[in-house]
Amino acid sequence: MPLLLGVFETPNKVVEVVGRLRSRGYQDLDVFSPAPFPEVEDALIDKPSRVRLWTLIGGLAGVTTGFAMTIWMSYDWKIVVGGKALASIPPYVIIGFELTILFGGLLTLVGLAVHAGLPHGRFGKNDVGYSARFSAEDFGLTVRCKERDVAEVDALLRAFSAKEVSLVEP
Amino acid sequence: MTPPPAASVADMIRPVPAVADSDVNRDILAVMDRPTMPYWLLLGFLVVFVHSAGAVWVYQVYKGLGIAGYAHPIFWGVYIVTFVFWVGIAHAGTLISAILYLFRSKWRNAINRSAAAMTIFAVLTAAQFLGIHVGRIWKSYFILPYPNQRGLWVNFKSPLVWDTFAISTYGTISALFLFVGLIPDFAIARDRSTGWRKVLYTALALGWEGKSKQWKAWNRTVLHLSGLCTPLVLSVHSVVSWDFAMSIVPTWHATIFAPYFVAGAIFSGFAMVLTMMIPVRRIYGLEAYITDYHFDNMAKFILLTSLIVGYSYLMEFFIAWYSGNEFEQTAWWYRVFGPYWISTWTMLICNTVIPQVFWFKRARVHVPTVFAVSIFVNIGMWFERYVIIVIGLSHEYNPAVWGIYTPQPAELMILAGSFGFFAMFFVIFIKLFPVIAVAEMKELAIHKKSHAHEGAH
């Protein structure tokens, strides 16, 4: 199926055109954006990112590991201080806390890799349509559509102030 | 794929894309341009300096810690002081990149990258001092809970073990945070470089193209890492303060230590960010990105934390007087009027008196004044740790364990080397990585452009 690329200058226009395209039934859309613009991302992807699940799992694994490790080690090598419990929870809160953060952070990075699809593509090869202008200040909207819809998509992109529209994949 | 040959480093970064490039890209990536002769001289000096300090450390390993000023009753000296100092310096980076992110303070965008990088370098510098301090560096790993034939584990009730976990977690998470922030900027550099730089940035950018799902996951990642870093940054210096507060040494055993140390850490960290960034801004012409507004805000932070630190000092003296406890009162009197009075008064003047100049806006936006105050704060905060650690140990309850400690040349050389070590990494960093967060600055630039467009229509 053909792939069209529209180049835009502002995020607002991208949001508007994406809304229109989606309402017209075009779902195979993607945007190359030079900076983070939540409104653009939300226009394309409805659900919140699932990276948060990874953070939660990491945090829970960390706190469990922190307490399990300290308590188990206290009983495995006993430091007996008269009348005191072998495992003393208050100081272990610190280890539990630090490992919550450590594991939570590491798994968040794994979540980023999984949900952002990183590493992406072959080394040194970019996706069709990508160019250095999209790491400057332009926005690139790619639309994959049926051949018979090319003219309509082209007109729509231009109607929303696309600077350029090109057929990057016939 | 073999990258095309490049005549020089400048040629590697200069190729202009077919479409006009963004001003933000051009200005910030220009910092990474061809290193000049003064740059090489500075880097060469720092490398030689760090190696000289390294040689002194090797000599210390050979001779033993006796060449440091350690003598009964003081076995925590310049090395622990410097360790705490560098951990403190690290804090501003996380505060700026994480806490200000959660508060949606957009002004942080201009300084968060350099501050986050300083966090890593400061933690690296600090971590070395634990190894230097223990003397027998090859036994440093004893602090880790690892399976061993003796079947014993570390004592998790010890603040030194907490410290190990806190510092290693802090270093790891800060490095991760810095890397995540750099991914989009690596892609920008990748698209504008050739030669070995192209290969390096292509590898580091992980195929980033700024697609929606990438930004969506990235935004969430930055948010969560900020959320994790916020309690972390507050906990790290609290844990460091408990290295002292958990003991029963007079002047150490105080509940105020955790917030007092955290405020001091942020205070000194902001000062160090200013000390490093003011010359970089001047040399590389980044005045359009780091403006009076940034200096004004950072100076306000310094003033605020100076007041917290000053309040803590006063409260310590007040409580000593109010307690009616003779030992406590004597210890505090000794701090201000004893043989170490110079250190104490340096601390008091640099940390509480000099920053008061920032009540005046004219001083907050006057760059030479801000730079000078930042240097005084750095000096004052090093002395604060010296005062707490050394004076506390030199005058405990029992006159049999009173004594005087004088830093020795080996310690001072290694202390000086730590500044060289920190500066060396920063100097290398500014030529390899974007010193300002390009994508985040561009977010502001594009928003501004969008509003101008809308206004025009």
Side-chain angles (χ1 to χ4, degrees):
Chain A
M1 280 202 289
L3 184 72
L4 274 99
L5 171 74
V7 180
F8 293 85
E9 274 191 338
T10 63
N12 305 351
K13 289 290 168 200
V14 179
V15 172
E16 288 170 18
V17 75
V18 165
R20 176 63 71 87
L21 283 164
R22 290 186 75 183
S23 69
R24 299 278 300 156
Y26 299 103
Q27 296 300 333
D28 196 350
L29 314 172
D30 211 340
V31 173
F32 299 115
S33 170
F37 291 99
E39 62 271 31
V40 174
E41 294 131 36
D42 292 343
L44 272 148
I45 305 163
D46 299 322
K47 289 183 182 167
S49 171
R50 298 183 83 86
V51 168
R52 60 211 172 121
L53 270 180
W54 292 86
T55 314
L56 178 67
I57 293 166
L60 291 175
V63 71
T64 312
T65 308
F67 279 106
M69 178 177 75
T70 46
I71 294 169
W72 176 72
M73 286 178 182
S74 300
Y75 278 90
D76 190 52
W77 176 267
K78 297 183 178 71
I79 301 175
V80 183
V81 180
K84 301 252 172 91
L86 287 177
S88 173
I89 299 303
Y92 300 169
V93 170
I94 294 165
I95 309 293
F97 169 78
E98 298 296 344
L99 292 191
T100 306
I101 305 287
L102 182 65
F103 286 29
L106 290 172
L107 255 76
T108 305
L109 185 69
V110 174
L112 172 69
V114 170
H115 295 288
L118 300 175
H120 174 74
R122 285 179 54 205
F123 191 84
K125 295 270 182 208
N126 287 122
D127 282 1
V128 176
Y130 181 80
S131 71
R133 67 193 304 180
F134 303 129
S135 60
E137 286 189 10
D138 284 339
F139 294 78
L141 169 63
T142 57
V143 188
R144 199 172 281 284
C145 58
K146 291 183 184 136
E147 222 168 307
R148 61 165 191 263
D149 295 329
V150 168
E152 187 196 1
V153 172
D154 177 62
L156 257 172
L157 294 174
R158 288 181 198 281
F160 282 88
S161 316
K163 269 205 307 192
E164 289 169 38
V165 179
S166 53
L167 189 65
V168 287
E169 211 172 71
Chain B
M1 192 184 81
T2 318
S8 70
V9 174
D11 292 339
M12 287 185 201
I13 330 177
R14 282 276 171 75
V16 180
V19 181
D21 202 359
S22 145
D23 288 345
V24 182
N25 285 353
R26 205 183 43 239
D27 293 347
I28 299 173
L29 296 185
V31 178
M32 295 149 66
D33 215 340
R34 183 207 290 265
T36 55
M37 186 50 80
Y39 174 88
W40 286 119
L41 287 174
L42 175 64
L43 184 60
F45 168 75
L46 290 170
V47 169
V48 170
F49 189 61
V50 169
H51 280 81
S52 309
V56 173
W57 171 68
V58 171
Y59 180 68
Q60 179 184 284
V61 170
Y62 172 71
K63 290 290 281 185
L65 276 173
I67 70 161
Y70 293 175
H72 179 78
I74 298 161
F75 293 97
W76 281 14
V78 165
Y79 298 144
I80 292 292
V81 170
T82 312
F83 159 74
V84 180
F85 173 78
W86 284 112
V87 176
I89 294 296
H91 280 53
T94 321
L95 182 110
I96 293 168
S97 45
I99 300 182
L100 294 185
Y101 178 84
L102 294 182
F103 280 101
R104 300 285 185 259
S105 300
K106 292 287 183 190
W107 64 272
R108 75 185 252 293
N109 289 3
I111 48 167
N112 77 335
R113 171 67 44 73
S114 49
M118 280 182 219
T119 294
I120 315 287
F121 306 144
V123 171
L124 282 177
T125 313
Q128 289 184 81
F129 276 86
L130 296 175
I132 295 169
H133 167 77
V134 295
R136 298 181 196 176
I137 181 81
W138 54 95
K139 294 194 173 173
S140 298
Y141 68 95
F142 277 19
I143 197 76
L144 300 172
Y146 64 98
N148 55 75
Q149 286 180 322
R150 288 158 291 167
L152 83 171
W153 302 106
V154 293
N155 178 10
F156 285 107
K157 292 164 198 161
S158 161
L160 302 183
V161 174
W162 306 344
D163 222 9
T164 307
F165 276 80
I167 302 288
S168 49
T169 299
Y170 191 43
T172 310
I173 297 295
S174 304
L176 208 140
F177 201 5
L178 178 70
F179 175 69
V180 168
L182 271 164
I183 295 173
D185 290 1
F186 284 140
I188 294 168
R190 170 200 67 200
D191 293 345
R192 283 153 190 81
S193 54
T194 58
W196 60 266
R197 279 180 182 264
K198 176 108 181 163
V199 177
L200 175 70
Y201 299 132
T202 304
L204 292 171
L206 304 172
W208 181 271
E209 289 175 338
K211 290 182 159 197
S212 292
K213 76 168 184 180
Q214 292 176 339
W215 280 123
K216 188 131 191 158
W218 186 88
N219 272 330
R220 183 56 75 156
T221 303
V222 172
L223 178 70
H224 285 206
L225 286 178
S226 301
L228 291 171
C229 278
T230 300
L232 181 65
V233 70
L234 300 178
S235 81
V236 171
H237 228 54
S238 301
V239 170
V240 170
S241 81
W242 295 334
D243 286 345
F244 310 104
M246 290 291 289
S247 72
I248 53 165
V249 174
T251 71
W252 285 12
H253 189 60
T255 48
I256 200 175
F257 258 40
Y260 160 34
F261 268 52
V262 171
I266 293 164
F267 180 52
S268 63
F270 265 95
M272 186 59 88
V273 169
L274 286 167
T275 308
M276 300 300 279
M277 284 312 286
I278 288 173
V280 169
R281 169 183 182 263
R282 175 76 188 267
I283 294 166
Y284 294 106
L286 295 174
E287 284 86 352
Y289 298 92
I290 303 169
T291 61
D292 283 354
Y293 178 57
H294 299 98
F295 289 123
D296 190 23
N297 282 342
M298 289 170 76
K300 281 178 186 164
F301 258 103
I302 288 186
L303 180 62
L304 170 71
T305 43
S306 163
L307 292 171
I308 299 174
V309 167
Y311 169 82
S312 305
Y313 296 159
L314 284 177
M315 196 47 64
E316 285 181 318
F317 290 118
F318 170 75
I319 293 293
W321 168 75
Y322 192 65
S323 69
N325 182 317
E326 192 184 340
F327 299 106
E328 189 76 8
Q329 288 172 346
T330 310
W332 288 97
W333 184 266
Y334 181 79
R335 177 178 279 195
V336 192
F337 301 110
Y340 296 100
W341 65 272
I342 294 179
S343 310
T344 307
W345 287 98
T346 306
M347 165 192 101
L348 289 171
I349 292 167
C350 290
N351 294 347
T352 59
V353 179
I354 293 174
Q356 301 312 314
V357 71
F358 286 153
W359 282 106
F360 303 100
K361 175 146 188 177
R362 195 185 290 177
R364 294 199 299 268
V365 296
H366 186 246
V367 179
T369 305
V370 174
F371 187 67
V373 173
S374 77
I375 301 275
F376 279 116
V377 172
N378 287 327
I379 295 169
M381 284 308 293
W382 189 87
F383 272 101
E384 182 199 285
R385 281 63 178 253
Y386 185 82
V387 163
I388 292 171
I389 295 168
V390 171
I391 305 183
L393 285 175
S394 75
H395 207 76
E396 289 193 51
Y397 292 102
N398 187 348
V401 288
W402 289 353
I404 294 291
Y405 160 89
T406 314
Q408 296 302 300
E411 292 172 290
L412 297 177
M413 182 61 201
I414 292 174
L415 163 65
S418 76
F419 284 88
F421 185 80
F422 176 79
M424 180 183 75
F425 274 108
F426 191 71
V427 165
I428 295 171
F429 175 82
I430 59 175
K431 283 289 164 196
L432 272 184
F433 303 122
V435 73
I436 292 178
V438 192
E440 287 169 72
M441 285 307 284
K442 224 183 295 168
E443 181 191 347
L444 302 181
I446 293 173
H447 268 305
K448 209 169 161 184
K449 196 168 75 175
S450 301
H451 291 144
H453 266 263
E454 279 159 18
H457 291 296

